[in-house]
Amino acid sequence: MNELEERVADEIRRRGPVPFSEVMDLALYDPDFGFYSTHGSAGRRGDFITSPEVGPLFGAVIARALDTWWHEMGEPDPFVVVEAGAGAGTLAIAVLAATPACAPALRYVLVESSALLRDRHREYLVLESAAHAFAPDREEVVDRQELDMPTGPIVVSLAELPRVEAHVVLANELLDNLPLDLLERGDDRTCEVRVGLDGDRLVEVLVPTDLSIETGREPVQTAAARWVREARALGGRVVVFDYADTTASMARRPWTDWLRTYRDHQRGSGVLDDLGSQDITCEVAVDQLPRPAHDTAQADWLRRHGIDDLVAEGRKVWEERAHLGDLEAMKARSRVSEAEALTAPTGLGAFRVLEWEP
Ligand SMILES: C[S@@+](CC[C@H](N)C(=O)[O-])C[C@H]1O[C@@H](n2cnc3c(N)ncnc32)[C@H](O)[C@@H]1O
């Protein structure tokens, strides 16, 4: 047993079988041994590829969407955008590199619970203190306004959702990583799937519960629903990108298809194996969340927000600069393959984009 498993085992000896959500929380976020606290991340050098890690195109489309909402909201200044579960900051970097029209008004708040990943935010982003971003020095603001200088973009990195009014809250592949519980239909009743001990092995233990489900195994995603309510409480538009299904559909599928582990770009082993060494992720049961105003396939959402125009722009730049073979030409060319990956009907394009209106 590794040290984290020893701790879980002690807890089980003390209290009996513990909820799966507690074990998943420790496996991913324990400050000393959790996957995200010690090494795990998205990216080519990481453990899995997410839309922002495909390349800068996803962030460029988000930048266009931010501009659309900013104009619709009457161009507020400051314009507060919170990105939760920001990982190493790749999406923020791409959004800012796309120089959206809202940039002078933009307060971009990265929220990332892992201190290790938060440390990476300052590698490519100029961070300012939250105090400065949310309550800037009056005199400085007045001076800048008089000189017609923009006050933004101001970028802040935090461990938790801030208690400020936000115009937009974004989260890419966050909800699938929030701890969940499991229910299973037995022969004559429903049980909760808890984690117990068999000798020195962590094992599933079925504990009868008063809750009732009809068939198979189901996730109970209380933390994901709570996160959506907290994000909505900031008062703005909430936009979540993730792989998702419904509870009823998941109950009919093999549970190991929707509750998965990853490490080094490969599917990992069992969810209770070598705790802290692999990612544990679950498709999001949309019906367990507050009802979104829009639920769109990622491919359609990206098209609605202009991915095709960005690809056409890229093609043009490539045609003009191919003979130079410089970085700009290469970046332009890569837009075509990035768009293919981001809209692939059986891959990222099938992800859901869930939106809650203010
Ligand atoms: C699958 S990664 C996605 C990272 C990034 N959004 C991307 O798409 O590449 C999920 C991230 O959410 C972070 N996270 C988990 N729970 C969080 C929470 N409650 N608040 C902020 N970040 C959280 C994890 O540490 C991890 O970096």
Side-chain angles (χ1 to χ4, degrees):
M1 271 196 179
N2 66 33
E3 281 184 82
L4 190 57
E5 290 165 343
E6 289 289 358
R7 267 182 32 203
V8 174
D10 284 346
E11 203 56 28
I12 296 168
R13 286 185 201 105
R14 209 166 60 78
R15 287 166 46 203
V18 295
F20 180 75
S21 54
E22 276 185 38
V23 176
M24 180 167 168
D25 194 25
L26 290 169
L28 296 183
Y29 308 117
D30 177 80
D32 299 318
F33 304 111
F35 176 76
Y36 282 107
S37 318
T38 53
H39 63 284
S41 74
R44 286 181 205 290
R45 284 174 296 144
D47 298 272
F48 45 84
I49 287 285
T50 57
S51 297
E53 298 291 348
V54 164
L57 182 59
F58 184 71
V61 181
I62 301 273
R64 285 175 72 126
L66 289 177
D67 275 345
T68 304
W69 299 324
W70 184 59
H71 292 309
E72 283 171 4
M73 289 175 193
E75 305 187 2
D77 183 356
F79 178 49
V80 180
V81 175
V82 173
E83 187 206 337
T90 310
L91 177 59
I93 293 166
V95 168
L96 296 170
T99 60
C102 64
L106 188 59
R107 306 287 181 272
Y108 195 104
V109 185
L110 296 96
V111 179
E112 171 50 57
S113 55
S114 155
L116 190 73
L117 291 168
R118 276 200 311 283
D119 274 349
R120 289 180 48 194
H121 295 170
R122 60 185 68 257
E123 282 176 24
Y124 299 102
L125 294 164
V126 179
L127 301 179
E128 304 205 23
S129 74
H132 178 68
F134 301 128
D137 180 59
R138 275 268 135 234
E139 268 177 38
E140 188 193 321
V141 171
V142 173
D143 282 354
R144 281 176 170 260
Q145 280 168 351
E146 273 171 9
L147 293 169
D148 213 13
M149 279 168 65
T151 51
I154 291 180
V155 186
V156 178
S157 167
L158 301 175
E160 291 176 9
L161 282 181
R163 290 183 200 284
V164 295
E165 298 248 320
H167 296 93
V168 181
V169 181
L170 302 168
N172 189 66
E173 292 202 32
L174 166 65
L175 298 197
D176 65 87
N177 262 156
L178 297 183
L180 60 124
D181 286 304
L182 293 166
L183 295 177
E184 184 169 296
R185 181 73 209 182
D187 285 340
D188 54 358
R189 64 178 307 174
T190 300
C191 292
E192 180 184 342
V193 182
R194 291 196 165 218
V195 180
L197 269 179
D198 178 11
D200 63 358
R201 264 182 354 111
L202 297 178
V203 291
E204 288 185 359
V205 177
L206 297 184
V207 179
T209 164
D210 288 340
L211 298 169
S212 174
I213 64 168
E214 281 176 14
T215 183
R217 192 174 267 208
E218 289 183 4
V220 181
Q221 296 180 316
T222 319
R226 190 185 319 121
W227 182 89
V228 173
R229 284 196 298 275
E230 285 171 7
R232 292 202 73 197
L234 302 187
R237 170 184 287 270
V238 176
V239 188
V240 158
F241 302 78
D242 224 315
Y243 23 88
D245 197 356
T246 61
T247 311
S249 159
M250 286 155 95
R252 290 190 297 269
R253 295 166 53 201
W255 68 273
T256 45
D257 277 4
W258 45 260
L259 181 62
R260 304 185 286 265
T261 58
Y262 286 94
R263 112 176 77 196
D264 301 331
H265 293 285
Q266 311 249 332
R267 286 286 284 269
S269 53
V271 282
L272 298 179
D273 291 350
D274 203 5
L275 286 191
S277 70
Q278 52 185 356
D279 189 19
I280 304 175
T281 167
C282 184
E283 288 179 26
V284 178
V286 178
D287 54 299
Q288 295 188 27
L289 306 177
R291 185 188 287 272
H294 311 283
D295 174 352
T296 319
Q298 172 160 305
D300 295 335
W301 192 92
L302 292 172
R303 286 191 190 107
R304 182 178 318 145
H305 288 283
I307 194 169
D308 293 335
D309 292 349
L310 290 167
V311 172
E313 241 172 56
R315 275 213 180 88
K316 193 158 162 273
V317 172
W318 168 247
E319 278 156 19
E320 285 162 11
R321 302 187 73 90
H323 67 286
L324 297 173
D326 61 359
L327 191 60
E328 213 172 311
M330 294 303 160
K331 273 207 267 187
R333 188 177 62 166
S334 102
R335 276 195 177 173
V336 177
S337 52
E338 285 177 49
E340 277 166 11
L342 293 171
T343 58
T346 53
L348 293 170
F351 277 33
R352 305 310 300 178
V353 186
L354 308 175
E355 294 175 274
W356 291 267
E357 306 266 6

